[in-house]
Amino acid sequence: GVKTGTLVKDARKLCPEIIFVEADHSRYVGIHEAIVEVVESCVPVHEVLSIDEMICKLTGSQCKEENAVALALKIKKNIEERVGICLKSSIGISVNKYLAKVGSDMQKPDGLTIIHKSDLPHKLFPLKLRDLPGIGYRMNERLQTRGVFSVENLCKASRAEMKSLWGGIWGERMYEWLRGGEPFVPSSKQKSMSHEHVLAPDFRTIDLAYAVLQKLLVKVAVRLRREKFYTRRLGVNVKFIGSNPNQKNDNRNMGNYGSSTG
């Protein structure tokens, strides 16, 4: 029951024996780079989507199903042997990167899913709308208010209806992706970096919270320099939980204290 975004106090209620470990981003980056190296040794990495996700574009004889499956199994084996036996990977193989991503999520934590063009769209019908990349909580609510309650409903929508549902070109892209197409999507650049931290009860004073803020600022500045980026603006977001943020009391419940660059 403990999921991403669960408050510490709620996590303790759900799992009294829970052990909290402070995030170590440099360690995560090191493991990420090791994984990329392993995958590169099997097949070129076409695009890195996040710290734990990448796309490989198969060409020539690699596109034959038996060869693609052999490559996927080789990647899994090499990650286990060269990065760590506790690190599992899920791989999706399909006609475009969107459906490959969908496939990689269908069998976790150690799956291998193939979605053929001939499988579309019926193989997607058992999924929930939230299982599709690009459909978050708010989009799910919006779709339901428009009478779309399932992936099957969504797949039956026309291109014009999909554009209307999303209010723009993203709906047209979804229309193509779900049918095995690969619409052009212009590349984007990273425009911001941020760190956040939930203050422990002992740190919920103005002075100690300010010290945590300084630490967050240093961490994000280190990342900026490492990535050879510059910034024109620094911003701070503070979220107060369970108390009036206007009250004059150093012991107020300062839940999140974040530092970010814009």
Side-chain angles (χ1 to χ4, degrees):
V2 179
K3 301 179 181 179
T4 301
T6 303
L7 298 177
V8 171
K9 63 178 183 179
D10 294 334
R12 291 191 191 279
K13 293 178 182 177
L14 291 166
C15 182
E17 297 82 18
I18 195 169
I19 298 173
F20 292 98
V21 179
E22 185 173 353
D24 185 346
H25 293 279
S26 62
R27 176 65 172 153
Y28 305 155
V29 171
I31 294 175
H32 162 76
E33 291 173 347
I35 295 171
V36 172
E37 183 178 344
V38 166
V39 177
E40 282 274 12
S41 70
C42 302
V43 60
V45 173
H46 178 67
E47 184 180 357
V48 177
L49 301 181
S50 66
I51 198 167
D52 66 343
E53 186 176 7
M54 64 200 72
I55 294 289
C56 298
K57 190 172 183 178
L58 304 183
T59 60
S61 63
Q62 294 173 338
C63 295
K64 293 183 179 180
E65 183 171 328
E66 60 270 24
N67 295 338
V69 170
L71 273 174
L73 295 176
K74 182 179 180 182
I75 290 171
K76 285 174 166 288
K77 180 180 179 182
N78 286 4
I79 289 176
E80 182 176 318
E81 292 179 349
R82 293 166 53 184
V83 184
I85 60 173
C86 293
L87 188 60
K88 303 300 181 183
S89 58
S90 294
I91 297 177
I93 301 173
S94 194
V95 291
N96 62 34
K97 62 183 181 181
Y98 183 87
L99 291 174
K101 160 66 176 170
V102 172
S104 71
D105 289 333
M106 289 175 72
Q107 295 183 42
K108 283 185 173 288
D110 190 24
L112 173 54
T113 301
I114 301 174
I115 301 178
H116 300 93
K117 195 160 189 175
S118 59
D119 295 330
L120 302 173
H122 58 274
K123 189 164 184 172
L124 306 177
F125 290 171
L127 301 176
K128 298 177 181 178
L129 287 170
R130 291 287 302 275
D131 293 332
L132 296 179
I135 300 182
Y137 174 79
R138 291 184 179 179
M139 191 62 210
N140 185 58
E141 292 289 309
R142 180 175 178 176
L143 290 173
Q144 292 192 14
T145 60
R146 299 283 295 273
V148 178
F149 298 98
S150 67
V151 173
E152 184 173 0
N153 293 155
L154 187 65
C155 290
K156 290 180 178 179
S158 68
R159 181 191 295 271
E161 288 170 334
M162 292 281 280
K163 183 177 181 180
S164 175
L165 287 169
W166 264 266
I169 194 171
W170 193 265
E172 294 185 290
R173 291 173 182 166
M174 286 287 289
Y175 179 89
E176 292 289 340
W177 284 327
L178 294 173
R179 286 158 178 78
E182 189 68 280
F184 171 75
V185 179
S187 60
S188 60
K189 295 182 179 179
Q190 184 173 359
K191 296 182 180 179
S192 66
M193 287 184 176
S194 66
H195 282 285
E196 67 177 42
H197 184 78
V198 178
L199 294 177
D202 293 343
F203 281 80
R204 293 173 187 173
T205 66
I206 294 297
D207 291 340
L208 291 177
Y210 186 76
V212 173
L213 173 60
Q214 289 181 305
K215 178 182 177 181
L216 292 173
L217 178 61
V218 170
K219 289 175 68 175
V220 81
V222 168
R223 286 180 62 199
L224 273 172
R225 289 192 291 269
R226 185 172 61 228
E227 300 293 337
K228 295 181 172 58
F229 287 159
Y230 294 87
T231 184
R232 293 178 297 176
R233 183 177 69 253
L234 300 177
V236 179
N237 289 324
V238 183
K239 183 177 180 181
F240 297 85
I241 301 174
S243 65
N244 181 359
N246 296 317
Q247 69 185 40
K248 296 180 180 180
N249 180 0
D250 280 0
N251 292 318
R252 54 191 162 182
N253 188 356
M254 303 176 70
N256 291 336
Y257 214 103
S259 167
S260 66
T261 69

